[in-house]
């Protein structure tokens, strides 16, 4: 069976959940082979094997993570040449898509981004135009490169051998043209990553000010959720831009999305419409967000949200 | 400094966006065209760099005739001139082909700096900056929320999930920008009038040295197999708060096993 390369997303030696989703999807296409780039693979190999990695290619050289994206694409291009995989899967994060783009140029292959499902033959499903259209696409030329949106595919364990093989690549000067001199950690809390979280609680214009975002954070914390914000809220400076959910921000697809004080303009809907269950609290009964909801409450968020937090905490 | 800013015309997200049933490409006639939102930040950043460093800002657009509207707006904001790559042969090109066509067009304009938005609101592939940097063999300074230039040295802050990476490189380079990098200016009346006299170089694929066999729908590396309107979400339950709205949501969450 042909190999399917899966680029591992990891932070501080921890495999991110999206990688387990990619390994699960890869099993539909062939035999998953995880590709770990950077130091720290040892602590993660069991997890990768548990989710179906028959092989684990480890490129431990720290140099590969010292430059913007290009070295990762160089390593994958070499593996594509050496191992002739049937497809390469990466996560559809901002960086994952960039790796996919460079790899596509290097290998002369078609690339499909922001895919929400993958079927046999590497047929990819897209949810486009803010979730209004479902399209299926495939790659005609080269090795299919597919960037899959986090939280789109349920990860399932399927233990495999996880045989390790050390790999390396010689970087060109062009691969080393954009040097990362410092990684600055700004927001690191206990909350899960926005794009990976099973539950997201977002606040919008109705929240009314930076200080009121505590209401959103308290609700999020009662559910172990990530916090998001609409563009109105980030534009006003109430919450950092990196938490913006929407067309010009992050796309999320959690099990549960709670929109608080968000009217639901297309700008916002484009970033959350594929959430499985949607709840909204808004004082305007005509707000378009109510067209999407499974459950909605028309009311004052300053009354409803704290009560919800309290009720959830009571049930814990 | 020779700054080229890439501007894409996209369907207005407020108008209905459709795919054409015959070839599964975007129905550009069905929706109003506007400048891709993130490209406005790219134009603004290019203008600020020019204002600080001197030089010239050239708008480069690939797209149909009607993309002229977006080019005029970019010129009205303050760009000096434009190149409009328009050719039937380019219709239906995918990301890989588009990056090739733009690379070729950049051969005509030359550049010290290419600036673009990090993603378009229609295709949302987010790959163009990376593809261009790869093709051109120049530094990829993408997802920038801050750009500093000193001589031929360029530094950016690259937005990440955890904060940002500080990145250093030398010109020439490709820079893609994220939303919060600046506040795009509105075209002034004077700017709008001046834009009418600014040169727009309309070129076809032959002028740009683009090989027809490497662009267009028939030669794309990807293809849309089928598409359909997403099934509408089932109508949910909406209640008016009567002092127990929070408790009602909690009950709903419990019924769905979220709590």
């Amino acid at each position: 069976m042909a190999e399917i390369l899966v680029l591992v997303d990891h932070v501080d030696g921890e495999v991110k959940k999206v990688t387990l989703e990619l390994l699960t999807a890869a099993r539909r296409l062939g035999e998953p082979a995880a590709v770990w780039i950077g130091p720290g693979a040892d602590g993660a190999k069991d997890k990768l094997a548990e989710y179906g990695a028959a092989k684990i290619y480890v490129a431990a050289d720290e140099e590969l993570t010292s430059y913007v994206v290009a070295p990762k694409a160089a390593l994958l291009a070499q593996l594509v040449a050496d191992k002739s995989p049937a497809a390469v899967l990466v996560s559809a994060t901002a960086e994952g898509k960039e790796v996919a783009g460079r790899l596509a140029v290097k290998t002369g292959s078609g690339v499909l981004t922001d895919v929400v499902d993958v079927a046999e033959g590497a047929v990819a499903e897209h949810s486009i135009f803010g979730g209004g259209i479902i399209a299926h696409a495939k790659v005609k030329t080269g090795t299919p490169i597919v960037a899959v949106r986090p939280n789109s595919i349920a990860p399932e364990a399927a233990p495999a051998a996880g045989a390790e093989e050390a790999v390396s690549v010689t970087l060109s000067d062009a691969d080393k043209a954009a040097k990362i001199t410092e990684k600055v950690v700004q927001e690191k809390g206990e909350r899960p990553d926005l794009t990976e979280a099973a539950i997201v609680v977002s606040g919008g214009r109705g929240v009314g000010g930076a200080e009121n975002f505590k209401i959103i954070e308290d609700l999020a914390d009662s559910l172990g959720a990530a916090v998001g914000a609409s563009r109105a809220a980030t534009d006003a400076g109430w919450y950092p831009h990196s938490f913006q959910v929407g067309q010009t921000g992050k796309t999320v697809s959690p099990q549960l999305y709670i929109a608080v004080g968000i009217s639901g303009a297309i700008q916002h809907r484009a970033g959350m419409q594929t959430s499985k269950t949607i709840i909204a609290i808004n004082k305007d009964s005509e707000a378009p967000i109510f067209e999407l909801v499974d459950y909605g409450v028309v009311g004052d968020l300053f009354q409803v949200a704290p009560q919800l937090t309290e009720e959830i905490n009571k049930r814990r | 400094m020779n700054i080229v800013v890439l501007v894409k015309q996209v369907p207005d997200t407020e108008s209905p966006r459709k795919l054409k049933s015959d070839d599964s490409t975007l129905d550009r006639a069905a929706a109003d065209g506007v400048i891709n939102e993130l490209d406005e930040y790219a134009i603004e950043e290019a203008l600020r760099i020019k204002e600080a460093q001197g030089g010239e800002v050239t708008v480069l657009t690939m797209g149909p005739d009607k993309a002229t509207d977006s080019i005029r707006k970019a010129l009205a904001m303050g760009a000096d001139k434009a190149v409009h790559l328009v050719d039937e042969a380019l219709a239906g090109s995918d990301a890989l082909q588009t990056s090739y066509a733009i690379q070729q067009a950049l051969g005509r304009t030359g550049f010290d700096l290419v600036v673009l938005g990090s993603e378009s609101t229609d295709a949302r592939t987010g790959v163009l900056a990376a593809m261009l940097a790869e093709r051109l063999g120049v530094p990829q300074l993408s997802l920038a929320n801050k750009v500093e230039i000193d001589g031929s040295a360029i530094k950016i802050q690259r937005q990440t999930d955890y904060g940002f990476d500080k990145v250093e490189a030398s010109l020439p380079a490709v820079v893609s920008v994220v939303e919060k990098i600046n506040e795009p200016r509105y075209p002034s009346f004077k700017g709008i009038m001046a834009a009418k006299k600014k040169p727009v170089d309309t070129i076809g694929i032959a002028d740009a040295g683009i090989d027809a066999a490497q662009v267009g729908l028939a030669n794309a590396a990807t293809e849309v197999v089928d598409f359909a309107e997403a099934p509408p979400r089932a109508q949910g339950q909406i209640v008016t708060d009567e002092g127990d709205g929070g408790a009602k949501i909690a009950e709903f969450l419990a019924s769905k096993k979220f709590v």
Side-chain angles (χ1 to χ4, degrees), chain A residues 188-192 221:
Chain A
K188 192 158 177 160
E190 296 298 307
R191 296 189 190 104
D221 291 343

Side-chain angles (χ1 to χ4, degrees), chain A:
Chain A
M1 201 167 19
E3 279 185 19
I4 307 297
L5 298 182
V6 171
L7 179 62
V8 178
D9 263 22
H10 55 89
V11 175
D12 302 331
E14 289 276 327
V15 177
K16 297 188 82 172
K17 190 167 108 250
V18 64
T19 298
L20 310 181
E21 297 164 10
L22 294 180
L23 288 168
T24 303
R27 299 203 300 266
R28 303 172 193 165
L29 312 180
E31 188 174 71
V35 181
W36 179 287
I37 299 177
D42 281 346
K45 280 183 284 194
D46 289 350
K47 190 102 185 172
L48 297 172
E50 183 189 341
Y51 281 83
K55 281 190 190 156
I56 304 171
Y57 297 119
V58 178
D61 189 351
E62 204 152 353
E63 198 185 31
L64 297 175
T65 55
S66 305
Y67 304 93
V68 176
V69 171
K72 293 177 180 171
L75 180 89
L76 286 174
Q78 183 167 305
L79 286 173
V80 168
D82 291 350
K83 312 291 180 186
S84 305
V88 180
L89 304 188
V90 302
S91 64
T93 57
E95 175 156 320
K97 292 197 281 190
E98 292 182 341
V99 172
R102 294 194 79 117
L103 181 62
V105 171
K106 279 180 188 290
T107 59
S109 302
V111 58
L112 299 169
T113 53
D114 213 18
V115 162
V116 296
D117 205 359
V118 191
E120 202 177 337
V123 173
E125 184 170 300
H126 296 268
S127 168
I128 60 171
F129 299 158
I133 292 178
I134 304 289
H136 294 96
K138 63 180 185 186
V139 167
K140 289 194 291 183
T141 308
T143 306
I145 301 165
V146 183
V148 182
R149 186 185 291 178
N151 262 337
S152 297
I153 292 164
E156 288 164 26
E164 183 181 347
E165 183 180 330
V167 292
S168 64
V169 65
T170 305
L171 297 180
S172 71
D173 287 345
D175 293 331
K176 297 193 276 189
K179 183 167 178 53
I180 299 169
T181 55
E182 192 184 344
K183 291 179 193 279
V184 180
V185 178
Q186 275 182 321
E187 299 108 10
K188 192 158 177 160
E190 296 298 307
R191 296 189 190 104
D193 269 4
L194 186 52
T195 49
E196 292 227 314
I199 304 176
V200 175
V201 180
S202 289
R205 193 186 301 278
V207 176
E211 66 284 355
N212 297 341
F213 254 83
K214 182 155 191 319
I215 295 170
I216 306 300
E217 292 181 334
D218 287 348
L219 176 53
D221 291 343
S222 74
L223 290 160
V227 173
S230 75
R231 185 178 186 175
T234 60
D235 267 359
W238 301 340
Y239 221 67
H241 175 236
S242 52
F243 292 90
Q244 183 178 316
V245 172
Q247 189 159 250
T248 54
K250 294 221 163 73
T251 302
V252 301
S253 195
Q255 294 298 319
L256 172 63
Y257 189 88
I258 305 183
V260 183
I262 293 174
S263 66
I266 182 78
Q267 152 76 227
H268 189 71
R269 295 210 304 265
M272 46 67 74
Q273 196 148 2
T274 54
S275 303
K276 279 74 176 179
T277 298
I278 298 173
I279 289 177
I281 303 168
N282 202 298
K283 66 175 193 286
D284 176 8
S285 63
E286 301 292 314
I289 192 78
F290 286 122
E291 293 164 17
L292 296 182
V293 297
D294 296 284
Y295 197 89
V297 170
V298 180
D300 179 0
L301 72 90
F302 297 103
Q303 304 294 326
V304 177
Q307 185 182 67
L308 173 57
T309 306
E310 195 188 318
E311 287 289 328
I312 293 166
N313 285 332
K314 261 193 244 166
R315 287 166 191 260
R316 297 262 133 172

Side-chain angles (χ1 to χ4, degrees), chain B:
Chain B
M1 186 176 305
N2 181 2
I3 306 163
V4 178
V5 57
L6 304 185
V7 173
K8 181 181 187 185
Q9 187 174 63
V10 297
D12 189 341
T13 53
E14 298 295 339
S15 61
R17 293 179 292 176
K18 294 176 185 155
L19 296 179
K20 289 189 287 185
S21 55
D22 53 347
D23 63 0
S24 303
T25 64
L26 177 65
D27 187 349
R28 291 181 196 274
D32 298 330
V34 295
I35 290 187
N36 176 45
E37 214 172 314
L38 289 171
D39 295 353
E40 292 192 17
Y41 296 86
I43 296 164
E44 177 63 35
E45 197 61 23
L47 294 173
R48 290 184 187 193
I49 292 167
K50 175 199 155 178
E51 284 155 10
Q53 309 281 329
E56 207 171 40
V57 174
T58 304
V59 175
L60 173 57
T61 292
M62 168 174 148
D65 287 333
K66 82 180 214 185
T68 316
D69 299 346
S70 296
I71 292 172
R72 286 294 165 199
K73 183 174 181 193
L75 293 172
M77 286 174 72
D80 298 289
K81 57 192 173 71
V83 174
H84 186 182
L85 174 58
V86 47
D87 204 307
E88 273 299 309
L90 294 165
S93 293
D94 65 9
L96 193 64
Q97 297 170 307
T98 299
S99 67
Y100 160 73
I102 290 174
Q103 174 197 20
Q104 294 302 105
L106 285 168
R108 187 177 168 101
T109 60
F111 67 93
D112 297 307
L113 195 60
V114 177
V115 191
L116 68 157
S118 56
E119 195 167 82
S120 65
T121 55
D122 54 354
R124 301 197 72 192
T125 63
V127 296
L128 190 61
M131 284 182 164
L132 272 180
E134 176 71 34
R135 286 189 184 278
L136 296 164
V138 302
Q140 174 190 328
L141 303 173
S142 50
L143 306 172
N145 60 26
K146 189 177 179 188
V147 178
E148 289 175 313
I149 295 175
D150 182 7
S152 68
I154 178 165
K155 293 182 186 177
I156 67 150
Q157 288 187 4
R158 170 178 166 83
Q159 186 173 294
T160 64
D161 284 337
Y162 48 79
F164 60 89
D165 288 349
K166 291 185 179 178
V167 181
E168 293 183 11
S170 299
L171 298 176
V174 172
V175 171
S176 82
V177 303
V178 296
E179 193 173 351
K180 285 296 176 288
I181 189 168
N182 56 40
E183 197 56 54
R185 66 193 70 183
Y186 288 101
S188 64
F189 180 70
K190 202 173 140 207
I192 293 167
M193 296 311 287
K196 294 180 176 166
K197 299 194 187 86
K198 288 177 176 173
V200 178
D201 183 16
T202 303
I203 61 172
I205 60 167
D207 304 307
I210 294 166
D211 175 4
Q214 291 193 50
V215 292
L217 187 64
N219 304 309
T222 51
E223 69 178 339
V224 175
V225 181
D226 59 42
F227 70 90
E229 280 191 25
R233 294 183 76 98
Q235 177 63 51
Q237 193 183 350
I238 297 166
V239 300
T240 299
D241 180 36
E242 286 166 355
D244 59 354
K248 281 186 165 163
I249 298 175
E251 278 168 32
F252 175 81
L253 291 177
S255 75
K256 298 283 179 187
K257 310 268 187 266
F258 284 113
V259 292

